[in-house]
Amino acid sequence: MMRKGLFTASVGMLLLASSALVQAKDFGTVKFATEAAYPPFNQSTPGGKIVGYEPDMVAEIAKRAGFKYEIVAQKWSGMIPGLVDGKYDAVIDAVTVTPKREEVVDFSRQYTVSISGFVTLKGSAVDTLPGNGEVVLANDEAGMTKSIDALKAKFKGKTIAVQVATIQADFLNKYLADVATIRTYQAGPETFADLLNGRVDAVMASRTNLNAYVKKHADTVNSTGYGFSGGVLGQGSAIAIQKNNPELKAALDSALNSMIKDGTLKQLSEKWFGENVAPAE
C-alpha cells in the first residue's frame, strides 16, 4: 500500500510539473513600445535611456513572469496602430482602457487609477479654475453639468492644449469645443512649452503627468480646477496588447496582481508620483 501511495504521489507530481511547463510559455523577448516623453510615466535621459514608473514596472513584471524584454520609443499617435500591425508586442504609455480602444486591442489589468485635470499659467486670465480639486465622475450627471457649465464660462474664447489622440482630447472635443479652441500636439511636452510661452491658456492631461510638471515649475503654473474620471476618460491605465494573445495577458495580469498584493506597485507609485495611484486588489 505504501509503494502504491508513493507511485500515485509521483504520478501526481509529474502531472503538476507537466502542467507548469505548459503554462510557462516561452515568450522570447517581449517588445514594449512607449513614448519616452511622458514623465513621470516614462521619459528619455540625455544618454538615451528610457526611465520612469513604467520602465521600472516592466522590469519587475518581466522578472516575475520570467521573460526577457526591451522597451522602444515610438510616437504616441502611431503607437496603437503599430501594435495592431505587430511592430511590437505591447504598449506601456499610460494608455487608459476605453471601450473604443478595446475594439482593436486587449488590455492587462489596470495598474493606475485615472483622473484628468488642467494646468494654467499663474497670473493669467484663467489662473484659478472652478472646482478646487474636486473629482467628478462621468456617471454623476448633476456633477458633470455643474462642472462643465462652470468651465465653459471660464474657458469661453480661450485656447486649451492637449496631446493628439488622447482621452483628454476626446473629453475636450465632447464638452468644451463649442466655447474654446482645442489645439492638439504630437507630444505632451509641446503642450507645456506653449503654455509657458503664452500661446495657450491651459493644458489638459492626466493629473499624474500634470503634478510632475507643476512640481518642477511651481513658480509659474497651477494644477487647478475640477478633476474628471470615467466616461470617455476611461477608468485607469493598463498595458495594451494585441488581440487574441491570452498567454501574454495572463502572464502580465499575474505579475501585476502579485505586485499590487505585496505592495511593490505602491512603492513604485510613491517613488515616481509622490503618491499612491496603484489600484486596490
Side-chain angles (χ1 to χ4, degrees), residues 13-108:
M13 291 176 67
L14 286 171
L15 288 172
L16 286 172
S18 175
S19 175
L21 288 172
V22 170
Q23 293 174 9
K25 177 181 173 65
D26 181 7
F27 295 106
T29 299
V30 180
K31 184 182 286 188
F32 291 83
T34 193
E35 191 176 359
Y38 197 68
F41 283 95
N42 55 77
Q43 56 194 307
S44 183
T45 67
K49 183 179 180 181
I50 299 175
V51 300
Y53 172 66
E54 290 167 326
D56 278 4
M57 186 176 69
V58 168
E60 185 64 24
I61 289 172
K63 179 180 175 182
R64 298 188 186 210
F67 57 69
K68 296 179 181 179
Y69 75 96
E70 65 174 316
I71 302 177
V72 297
Q74 300 287 317
K75 287 186 177 180
W76 165 254
S77 58
M79 209 172 290
I80 296 296
L83 176 63
V84 174
D85 290 342
K87 293 181 180 178
Y88 24 81
D89 303 295
V91 168
I92 185 158
D93 196 55
V95 183
T96 301
V97 180
T98 65
K100 184 178 179 180
R101 288 173 178 162
E102 286 180 312
E103 293 176 3
V104 293
V105 298
D106 286 336
F107 285 96
S108 70

Side-chain angles (χ1 to χ4, degrees), residues 160-165 169 173 182-186 190-191:
I160 307 171
V162 67
Q163 190 171 6
V164 70
N173 285 323
I182 311 304
R183 187 174 296 171
T184 57
Y185 297 76
Q186 287 297 318
E190 296 173 3
T191 64

Side-chain angles (χ1 to χ4, degrees), residues 181-216:
T181 299
I182 311 304
R183 187 174 296 171
T184 57
Y185 297 76
Q186 287 297 318
E190 296 173 3
T191 64
F192 295 120
D194 268 10
L195 177 66
L196 290 180
N197 291 329
R199 296 190 183 100
V200 299
D201 299 288
V203 172
M204 187 179 192
S206 72
R207 273 196 179 172
T208 44
N209 180 236
L210 296 179
N211 289 344
Y213 184 78
V214 171
K215 188 175 180 179
K216 291 182 178 180

Side-chain angles (χ1 to χ4, degrees), residues 128-190:
T128 303
L129 297 175
N132 197 30
E134 177 187 346
V135 177
V136 183
L137 301 179
N139 60 4
D140 176 6
E141 293 185 12
M144 285 295 291
T145 298
K146 175 186 174 183
S147 58
I148 295 300
D149 285 349
L151 288 176
K152 282 185 174 182
K154 195 75 173 181
F155 278 131
K156 186 175 182 180
K158 301 297 189 293
T159 300
I160 307 171
V162 67
Q163 190 171 6
V164 70
T166 59
I167 53 174
Q168 291 82 18
D170 291 340
F171 179 93
L172 292 173
N173 285 323
K174 180 174 181 177
Y175 293 109
L176 295 173
D178 58 334
V179 297
T181 299
I182 311 304
R183 187 174 296 171
T184 57
Y185 297 76
Q186 287 297 318
E190 296 173 3

Side-chain angles (χ1 to χ4, degrees), residues 233-246:
L233 293 172
Q235 301 298 330
S237 300
I239 302 171
I241 58 177
Q242 286 180 309
K243 285 284 190 182
N244 302 316
N245 194 346

